[in-house]
Amino acid sequence: MSSPVLVVDNLATHFFTRDGVVKSVDGISFNVMPGEVLGLVGESGSGKSVTGFSIMGLIDPPGKIVSGSIRLNGEELVGRDDASMRKVRGKSLAMIFQDPMMTLNPVLRIDTQMMEAVQAHEAVSDKAARARSAAALAMVGIPAPEERLSAYPHQFSGGMRQRVAIAIALLHRPALIIADEPTTALDVTIQSQILSEVQRLCAESGTALVWITHDLAVVAGLADRVAVMYAGRIAEQGRVDDVLDRPLHPYTHGLIGSVPGAHLEGTRLHQIRGSTPSLGQLPPGCAFEPRCDRAGPACSTMPVISQASDGRAYRCFNPVPQQGVTA
Amino acid sequence: MLAFIIRRISQAFFVVVAMVVLVFFGTYVIGDPVWMMVPGDATQEQIEAVRRDFGFDQPVYVQFFKFLGDVLHGEFGRSYVHGSSAINLILDRMPATLELALAALILAVLIGIPLGLFAGLKPDHPASRSIMAVSILGFSLPTFWVGLMLIMLFSVMLGWLPATGRGPVVSIFGLETSMLSLEGWRHLFLPAINLALLKISLVIRLTRSGAREAALQDYVKFARAKGLSQQRIVGVHILKNILIPIVTVLGLEFGSLVAFSVVTETIFAWPGMGKLLLEAIQRLDRPLIVAYVMVVVLLFVTINLIVDILYSALDPRVRLTGTQS
Ligand SMILES: Nc1ncnc2c1ncn2[C@@H]1O[C@H](COP(=O)(O)OP(=O)(O)OP(=O)(O)O)[C@@H](O)[C@H]1O
Ligand SMILES: [Mg+2]
């Protein structure tokens, strides 16, 4: 078996704000295998983007990676200076953002923005960089790439802009792409086009993908494995089918229950009571405890990570019983 | 693009026409210039003769149309004081003023943009706080006082730079400039800094707030995610975005540099048209005032036109709306 492209081990990223320490990410661990798609789900504010930026080395003050390790192909990324991180960014590690309207610089032409990405990592001529850029645009399905290269971002639709961003991310055939909700801002039809496009491209180039989203349907269709985040920690992770069909953590259970369509028609949608806790003042134990139906006295201490027989990892003292497991 | 330029030019034309009307009636009401032209002991007949000679006895509208005809021919009459053509007097002095304003503009950009970028990108650095404090001083200290202090410090106490006058001029492409010699710059530096002070502060603030805003944008984060160097991100991605408001504002401010040079030219005895204007106002030299105002109006209108064109060259989104409408 090959070794993972990405190992995140007990990562903690905190923001030292005027109102106190915000523990946006607090002790998360996961691996991504070559070519694998990991879905990172969780509600707004659970720390998904902060996780992505931590891996990219793009956490700015007042934020700081306070502990843990991030290894890309076995090489440690935490603690590197900006110059050596820059050699990794865009080269073996790329990122796509949520809002395609904002990620391309409005006053620079597409060719400028693509060629500089090529030339940041390889000493090639302008001509060669341009050819590479045009090929990348063609790959993501942009018609007439040669002409489109001289256009400005505002001359593209949202979906096309996201394709350009994906083309830029794929320029150096990275080992891993972190996609932070790249389809959330797009129409549903465009969304599914882009999803299948990315899936195909990553499969072709053997690129692993961390797909950040709060949409369980997207995860179900795209990911091999899924990690469910809650308040800066991973509540549960495992193979997509296991986690979505037989959730162990009560939070995952509630999350799946609240998706329309996951229920029998006519029954009420399930709701998780209460609201997301403030990251500045989390309880010492399980952060989900105040909202949890299954909480017991043990839950006021921090649950350790347990392993289930199917390889799943979860943080819970009273996991949801696994009913109807037919082998 | 062409339609855009034509539209702007026709707008500029109406501005000029409106200014001609305003200038005529503005100067018409500021008193009777005859008293400035005749000796104190002149008789009534002598005064009437002067009135007739200059056409002041005609009704207002006749005077206005005569004025309009003259303006159309670029003729503003003779200076009452100097006796020579008013417009030539102004145009002779204009290169010196433009040179001073241009030097001030260059200093404002060369000093203001780097300082503003630094303060915007490292807002918590102690140097950034000092930069901002100095820029507040630049806004609030009166120009004439700063001018006197500059003379005292650099000319009187340190003796480094000359206090007054313009350096040796060289003629190049028919324009006289003192910017090509070291001695010329030695004379130019103090008045230019004095005139630029307000603009330096303005550029620092514009650049700083622009840089702070741009640094938070996703496109900057995406540029970093591509692995670009800090120089490239600041020098291309951020600078090109904040240059748009800076060019616009500075372009419009160039006119006010020309106007403000009145004070600086007087302090540093700079032989420009501002100094000439001050003398003309003191002596109610109507043709000279009118010629000055018209020249400045034309200057403003031209600058605005250039700024508009530059603006659309810098911001691709403006170009698009320009061709659509
Ligand atoms: N620069 C910052 N300063 C202070 N707190 C921050 C900063 N950036 C993020 N946080 C905090 O970290 C927490 C996690 O943010 P993050 O952006 O990772 O959430 P998310 O899971 O990506 O949510 P969403 O689905 O809304 O994108 C938030 O509660 C936020 O308040
Ligand atoms: Mg996010």
Side-chain angles (χ1 to χ4, degrees), chain A:
Chain A
M1 196 172 169
S2 56
S3 50
V5 251
L6 179 75
V7 177
V8 175
D9 190 14
N10 207 15
L11 173 74
T13 304
H14 296 177
F15 288 87
F16 298 87
T17 67
R18 216 170 282 171
D19 311 323
V21 181
V22 180
K23 300 181 175 176
S24 304
V25 170
D26 203 20
I28 62 169
S29 305
F30 59 86
N31 293 352
V32 185
M33 300 306 286
E36 186 182 47
V37 180
L38 173 77
L40 194 58
V41 292
E43 54 198 283
S44 195
S46 55
K48 306 182 298 290
S49 299
V50 172
T51 304
F53 288 131
S54 302
I55 297 169
M56 293 296 293
L58 290 177
I59 296 289
D60 295 319
K64 190 176 186 307
I65 296 182
V66 289
S67 65
S69 142
I70 300 169
R71 291 188 295 278
L72 184 74
N73 287 325
E75 287 185 42
E76 180 62 55
L77 299 185
V78 175
R80 287 207 193 182
D81 61 7
D82 200 61
S84 88
M85 217 31 226
R86 210 159 57 219
K87 297 205 180 82
V88 178
R89 271 186 225 133
K91 175 80 178 161
S92 44
L93 189 58
M95 188 158 179
I96 316 169
F97 295 123
Q98 173 167 356
D99 191 350
M101 299 298 174
M102 312 293 289
T103 45
L104 297 175
N105 192 326
V107 300
L108 298 177
R109 293 190 340 196
I110 301 295
D111 52 4
T112 315
Q113 302 192 49
M114 293 193 79
M115 285 159 63
E116 68 181 4
V118 175
Q119 289 170 328
H121 297 288
E122 282 170 44
V124 295
S125 67
D126 285 359
K127 203 167 160 236
R130 204 183 157 85
R132 278 265 290 281
S133 309
L137 285 188
M139 200 168 66
V140 295
I142 290 184
E146 279 294 341
E147 288 124 65
R148 299 304 271 159
L149 268 181
S150 333
Y152 284 93
H154 69 260
Q155 294 165 311
F156 285 79
S157 69
M160 283 296 168
R161 277 189 232 191
Q162 198 59 291
R163 281 166 196 267
V164 173
I166 293 168
I168 291 176
L170 284 167
L171 274 174
H172 295 280
R173 296 188 166 261
L176 177 77
I177 294 181
I178 297 164
D180 191 353
E181 312 203 32
T183 56
T184 312
L186 303 175
D187 291 345
V188 184
T189 46
I190 311 279
Q191 195 172 327
S192 60
Q193 278 176 17
I194 296 228
L195 273 177
S196 57
E197 199 92 2
V198 170
Q199 207 168 16
R200 175 178 66 82
L201 291 167
C202 286
E204 277 172 12
S205 57
T207 300
L209 202 55
V210 173
W211 192 279
I212 297 174
T213 180
H214 50 246
D215 189 343
L216 285 173
V218 167
V219 168
L222 178 76
D224 304 309
R225 286 193 311 118
V226 61
V228 181
M229 279 191 85
Y230 185 78
R233 302 201 183 96
I234 293 179
E236 169 172 15
Q237 61 174 311
R239 284 203 303 274
V240 167
D241 297 341
D242 295 337
V243 173
L244 295 189
D245 293 348
R246 298 178 298 279
L248 279 167
H249 199 286
Y251 173 64
T252 323
H253 186 74
L255 205 60
I256 295 166
S258 58
V259 176
H263 272 251
L264 288 178
E265 231 169 284
T267 57
R268 277 181 72 99
L269 278 182
H270 181 76
Q271 255 189 345
I272 305 177
R273 64 190 157 85
S275 58
T276 333
S278 149
L279 290 175
Q281 42 218 248
L282 289 177
C286 172
F288 190 57
E289 187 248 6
R291 305 171 71 185
C292 184
D293 294 328
R294 303 182 54 79
C299 299
S300 53
T301 56
M302 174 66 73
V304 289
I305 299 174
S306 320
Q307 298 283 338
S309 56
D310 54 9
R312 260 190 284 177
Y314 61 97
R315 263 188 206 266
C316 184
F317 289 117
N318 304 315
V320 182
Q322 302 286 288
Q323 78 287 62
V325 185
T326 49

Side-chain angles (χ1 to χ4, degrees), chain B residues 82-154:
Chain B
H82 299 266
S84 46
S85 154
I87 189 72
N88 285 348
L89 276 170
I90 296 287
L91 291 181
D92 277 352
R93 299 287 197 95
M94 194 162 79
T97 295
L98 288 184
E99 176 177 276
L100 182 61
L102 187 69
L105 192 71
I106 292 172
L107 286 176
V109 168
L110 288 187
I111 298 174
I113 289 185
L115 291 184
L117 273 179
F118 184 88
L121 297 175
K122 291 200 174 12
D124 296 322
H125 198 282
S128 302
R129 294 180 205 278
S130 327
I131 291 171
M132 294 326 288
V134 170
S135 89
I136 291 175
L137 282 185
F139 267 120
S140 36
L141 294 179
T143 306
F144 71 89
W145 183 83
V146 175
L148 294 177
M149 289 302 121
L150 285 175
I151 290 179
M152 213 159 89
L153 185 64
F154 289 102

